[in-house]
Amino acid sequence: MNVRRLIPAAALAGAVALGATALTACSGAGAAESGGKDGTLDVTASFYPMQFLAEQIGKDHVKVDTLTKPGVEPHDLEITPKQTGQLADADVILYLKSLQPAVDKAVAQSGVKNVVDAATLTKLEAHAASGHDHGPEGEGEEGHDYAHGEAGEDPHVWLDPAKYAEIAKGVGAALEKADPGHAADYKKNTDDLVAKLTALDTEFKDGLANTAGRTFITTHSAFGYLAERYGLDQEGISGVDPESEPSPARMKELQEIAKKENVSTVFFETLASDKTAKSLAGDTGLKTDVLDPLEGITDKSQGADYFEVMRSNLKNLQKALGAK
């Protein structure tokens, strides 16, 4: 996916209000009706899932720049001085609080009033790396309860198409308020995107309804929402940090789970090392495959956009779980 460069805005976008929890509003300097210099709205997105929503909903009425470039692991992002300047010039910022601490800090210091926090547009939940109740030994010291953010919520909501659709509705409403002159187009584009996400949700429900197994092992514990939505059990090698090293006890536990649950495949992702996945697979005689958390799109991704990669994830899950 090509990311268009940000053109500095002549003024901040105008009044934006998306409920008390979703969007901070403040009257701008006259940019509300027309957006930036050429009539477009300048949007800065924190990482790919936010970028995709802005592009799909805004289309020709927005110029979208992303802080997390293709191939960069979002959790580890550091903000450059140039990016700090880009943030300050944005009409609208889309981000997901608690996923990227550096972004949270930069957004708070940017001075931009039209800020959409996707975490306020749907209900976040806490998910553990383990989908099974393994007792006290599966918690605490061994790090199986991977809290993320101040309240321990899992931020990976975009991997649940139904929750992603809720966020899309909120982003669409925010763009309508920021650029009322094109509100009808934003509304139509949002409705179209939500319909596609609803269809994708149905594809996952139908595709995973009848499988020989329900447990999958993955290096990155990013799939809690997906697992919960479709009745699966996620077993993470590491927590929300895909580069963290699992303990020997956790690796032994996963070997036992794989045997008990007839797990055939250990999943890894394209933006992080596959070393631990291959190590576990080698010790247990399992196969490896890709389950992409969709934190970025590169030439190694199994698809060119959100929908293509999600359908590749579905296909890989069906294969690993023995879909009937």
Side-chain angles (χ1 to χ4, degrees), residues 20-149:
T21 59
L23 189 62
T24 302
C26 180
S27 60
E33 293 295 330
S34 60
K37 290 180 180 179
D38 57 357
T40 59
L41 203 64
D42 291 325
V43 179
T44 296
S46 58
F47 73 131
Y48 176 73
M50 299 298 101
Q51 172 195 345
F52 184 73
L53 291 182
E55 291 175 339
Q56 292 295 303
I57 296 171
K59 295 190 181 293
D60 293 338
H61 300 312
V62 301
K63 294 185 186 300
V64 184
D65 185 53
T66 179
L67 296 175
T68 308
K69 303 305 179 184
V72 174
E73 216 297 314
H75 295 273
D76 300 329
L77 179 69
E78 296 295 336
I79 302 296
T80 67
K82 181 178 180 180
Q83 289 175 317
T84 300
Q86 289 174 340
L87 272 175
D89 286 335
D91 292 318
V92 178
I93 296 174
L94 303 180
Y95 81 122
L96 202 166
K97 190 175 182 179
S98 86
L99 180 75
Q100 300 170 283
V103 172
D104 295 351
K105 182 178 179 181
V107 169
Q109 297 175 347
S110 68
V112 174
K113 302 303 181 183
N114 301 330
V115 177
V116 184
D117 174 10
T120 68
L121 302 176
T122 188
K123 181 176 174 56
L124 297 190
E125 303 167 1
H127 293 127
S130 173
H132 293 81
D133 182 7
H134 300 300
E137 71 276 13
E139 302 172 355
E141 187 175 4
E142 293 299 333
H144 292 188
D145 186 12
Y146 292 95
H148 203 299

Side-chain angles (χ1 to χ4, degrees), residues 5-23:
R5 299 298 296 174
L6 179 69
I7 298 176
L12 294 177
V16 182
L18 185 60
T21 59
L23 189 62

Side-chain angles (χ1 to χ4, degrees), residues 78-317:
E78 296 295 336
I79 302 296
T80 67
K82 181 178 180 180
Q83 289 175 317
T84 300
Q86 289 174 340
L87 272 175
D89 286 335
D91 292 318
V92 178
I93 296 174
L94 303 180
Y95 81 122
L96 202 166
K97 190 175 182 179
S98 86
L99 180 75
Q100 300 170 283
V103 172
D104 295 351
K105 182 178 179 181
V107 169
Q109 297 175 347
S110 68
V112 174
K113 302 303 181 183
N114 301 330
V115 177
V116 184
D117 174 10
T120 68
L121 302 176
T122 188
K123 181 176 174 56
L124 297 190
E125 303 167 1
H127 293 127
S130 173
H132 293 81
D133 182 7
H134 300 300
E137 71 276 13
E139 302 172 355
E141 187 175 4
E142 293 299 333
H144 292 188
D145 186 12
Y146 292 95
H148 203 299
E150 293 180 1
E153 292 106 345
D154 179 356
H156 300 87
V157 284
W158 63 92
L159 292 168
D160 176 345
K163 283 190 171 293
Y164 199 39
E166 292 177 1
I167 295 172
K169 292 176 184 178
V171 170
L175 294 181
E176 288 178 44
K177 294 294 181 68
D179 183 15
H182 298 120
D185 289 341
Y186 295 136
K187 179 67 166 62
K188 179 184 181 300
N189 295 340
T190 300
D191 290 345
D192 289 346
L193 179 57
V194 169
K196 292 178 182 178
L197 289 168
T198 300
L200 181 66
D201 178 39
T202 299
E203 289 179 41
F204 268 80
K205 286 177 180 176
D206 294 345
L208 297 171
N210 297 299
T211 59
R214 306 302 290 176
T215 300
F216 64 94
I217 296 175
T218 178
T219 54
H220 185 186
S221 299
F223 301 91
Y225 291 103
L226 185 150
E228 183 175 309
R229 175 71 61 184
Y230 305 113
L232 306 179
D233 285 321
Q234 168 187 246
E235 291 289 345
I237 296 176
S238 64
V240 293
D241 179 359
E243 300 290 355
S244 65
E245 291 290 335
S247 67
R250 179 57 175 163
M251 292 293 279
K252 180 180 179 181
E253 184 180 25
L254 286 169
Q255 292 175 19
E256 295 171 352
I257 292 171
K259 183 177 180 180
K260 179 180 179 182
E261 303 293 338
N262 295 316
V263 175
S264 67
T265 306
V266 179
F267 288 110
F268 63 94
E269 62 180 89
T270 55
L271 291 184
S273 171
D274 61 357
K275 183 177 66 173
T276 54
K278 288 185 174 180
S279 175
L280 178 61
D283 292 341
T284 53
L286 303 179
K287 295 175 288 186
T288 59
D289 205 347
V290 172
L291 197 60
D292 196 328
L294 263 163
E295 293 174 343
I297 295 286
T298 71
D299 55 4
K300 295 181 180 179
S301 300
Q302 294 186 344
D305 65 14
Y306 174 86
F307 286 105
E308 290 186 7
V309 175
M310 281 295 284
R311 289 190 172 99
S312 293
N313 282 344
L314 174 57
K315 181 180 178 181
N316 294 344
L317 279 169

